[in-house]
Amino acid sequence: MSIAETLVAPLAAAAAKTPTALWNDSADPEELRQSIEFGAVGATCNPVIALTAVRSDLAKWTPRIRRLAELHPTWGESEIGWAIVRELSIDAAKLLLPAFEESGGRNGRLSIQTDPRLHRDKDALVAQAVEFSQLAPNIIVKIPATATGVAAMEEAAYRGVSINATLSFTVAQAVEVGAALERALDRRAAEGLPEQEFGHVVTIMGGRLDDWLKAWTAKNRILVTPGVLDWAGVAALKRAHAVFRQRGYRSRILSAAFRNHLQWSELVGGDLVVSPPFDWQKRINENGIPADNRIDEPVPAAVLDELLNLSEFHRAYEVHGLTPAEFGDFGASRNTLRQFLDADAQLDALVRDVLIPAAP
């Protein structure tokens, strides 16, 4: 086996031996091209990722920002920034079209996230989701898994939008979204609307659940066995995947927000999506992490028992641990939404700095 073949072995093996799909957690074109070589058949994006992609290639985007300002003299910073996000997404979607066509629409999708400032407005989320879905045939649209967002996802899915739930950290959120997408698909069938493969996915941001529990235990002065909290997101992902299979949901769980390789290796074998950042993909390959079928292997009993003694993990792990009204107030939800809103503001500032540079 050549050095190159050795480097790609774990991800390629998982793709070859199991239904587990690899997506790239970035729409950066160069990273996505390399990730496709590793076996990626999709990509995700959010305001933080989009901001990072623009910042990493200012040589390309700075003149484009200036050109958009010339073409649209009345546009503000936000309109120009979101035009850039659309263009970034369209460019990345083209790279995934072969996988989209080969899979009949189940994979090969590029996620674009709705404007986080719309998180309280169901109708605005639906309208933007419909608009984004028309940017390319293989677009999938992210909507936050709050009570408002779940209602928006159901309506948008009914209207033919492919959905990727985001701002989602708990089994309760995932199951609520899965049920909403089933209702949307059933409504379409009942009304004789065209049947197609939408490729709906339901994200659990496992690493961000870990982050929140580490912050929560520290704040509450709770000592936990070292390493136990690194299993929290994995446990939630495994539980949600099992519930989806039991209930026959047609959407798939998606693992995002990587903090350790368990958020890939413990999920291999499942009919789900794993979406590590590109650097995590390289590290998984470089370290030869085994691509064993582990989706049905339980979380170590001692680990799960200790986690379940934490009331905040219990809320994240149980199917009815949170009510929809509580989704947006969960600690990880609040922290992540604030990050998304901040990234949106930073994109505005980036555009401002291009158009109105500070006086010397």
Side-chain angles (χ1 to χ4, degrees):
M1 182 179 289
S2 70
I3 293 176
E5 289 172 331
T6 301
L7 289 176
V8 301
L11 295 177
K17 297 190 301 183
T18 77
T20 307
L22 173 69
W23 289 16
N24 187 55
D25 197 18
S26 170
D28 178 271
E30 186 52 39
E31 286 188 357
L32 181 53
R33 286 187 186 93
Q34 294 180 65
S35 183
I36 289 170
E37 293 178 4
F38 290 165
V41 290
T44 59
C45 196
N46 63 39
V48 177
I49 292 170
L51 176 66
T52 301
V54 173
R55 280 178 171 165
S56 68
D57 196 1
L58 287 175
K60 171 183 177 180
W61 293 111
T62 296
R64 183 58 185 153
I65 289 169
R66 292 188 178 120
R67 181 59 179 156
L68 284 169
E70 292 172 2
L71 293 172
H72 305 280
T74 64
W75 277 11
E77 295 144 353
S78 182
E79 290 167 299
I80 293 172
W82 275 92
I84 293 297
V85 172
R86 288 176 176 86
E87 291 186 11
L88 177 69
S89 300
I90 291 169
D91 289 346
K94 292 175 184 175
L95 298 175
L96 293 165
L97 270 175
F100 175 76
E101 293 167 352
E102 183 179 346
S103 68
R106 188 160 175 80
N107 287 309
R109 293 189 178 272
L110 186 282
S111 289
I112 180 172
Q113 185 162 326
T114 48
D115 187 333
R117 294 170 299 182
L118 304 178
H119 68 97
R120 298 175 61 196
D121 189 334
K122 173 196 166 184
D123 292 341
L125 288 169
V126 172
Q128 190 171 69
V130 170
E131 185 247 312
F132 282 172
S133 73
Q134 297 167 357
L135 294 175
N138 55 332
I139 289 289
I140 188 168
V141 181
K142 285 185 174 182
I143 297 176
T146 60
T148 299
V150 173
M153 282 186 261
E154 180 174 346
E155 180 61 25
Y158 164 71
R159 296 192 194 184
V161 177
S162 296
I163 296 296
N164 179 355
T166 189
L167 206 76
S168 176
F169 315 89
T170 69
V171 176
Q173 288 173 288
V175 171
E176 189 73 16
V177 173
L181 295 175
E182 289 300 308
R183 292 192 296 269
L185 290 168
D186 290 345
R187 285 170 62 195
R188 288 182 61 84
E191 296 181 20
L193 294 172
E195 294 191 20
Q196 65 189 77
E197 174 58 74
F198 288 102
H200 298 313
V201 294
V202 182
T203 293
I204 290 182
M205 305 176 87
R208 288 180 179 265
L209 175 58
D210 295 355
D211 293 345
W212 168 242
L213 290 172
K214 290 172 183 178
W216 180 84
T217 53
K219 180 180 178 180
N220 288 279
R221 301 180 61 79
I222 298 171
L223 293 178
V224 181
T225 302
V228 162
L229 295 177
D230 294 323
W231 282 89
V234 171
L237 284 154
K238 282 179 177 278
R239 182 82 185 276
H241 175 263
V243 172
F244 272 44
R245 283 195 304 178
Q246 291 163 3
R247 298 189 179 187
Y249 288 170
R250 286 165 280 185
S251 51
R252 288 178 293 174
I253 292 294
L254 185 151
S255 168
F258 272 56
R259 300 296 186 268
N260 60 66
H261 75 73
L262 299 175
Q263 290 154 5
W264 174 77
S265 59
E266 284 292 321
L267 302 175
V268 170
D271 185 11
L272 48 73
V273 177
V274 286
S275 184
F278 182 64
D279 187 59
W280 270 103
Q281 295 171 47
K282 291 194 293 183
R283 283 192 272 173
I284 288 168
N285 281 333
E286 289 163 6
N287 286 272
I289 304 300
D292 297 331
N293 186 333
R294 296 195 55 80
I295 186 62
D296 292 323
E297 292 293 320
V299 172
V303 170
L304 188 58
D305 287 346
E306 187 167 354
L307 286 170
L308 285 170
N309 281 326
L310 303 172
S311 61
E312 194 72 349
F313 174 77
H314 198 273
R315 297 174 76 208
Y317 186 72
E318 297 299 337
V319 172
H320 301 294
L322 294 171
T323 66
E326 294 174 310
F327 290 168
D329 200 43
F330 189 65
S333 299
R334 282 199 248 173
N335 290 345
T336 303
L337 179 57
R338 288 179 62 87
Q339 284 187 309
F340 288 166
L341 289 163
D342 183 61
D344 187 75
Q346 289 184 56
L347 183 58
D348 284 356
L350 187 153
V351 173
R352 185 182 313 127
D353 288 342
V354 171
L355 300 183
I356 314 172

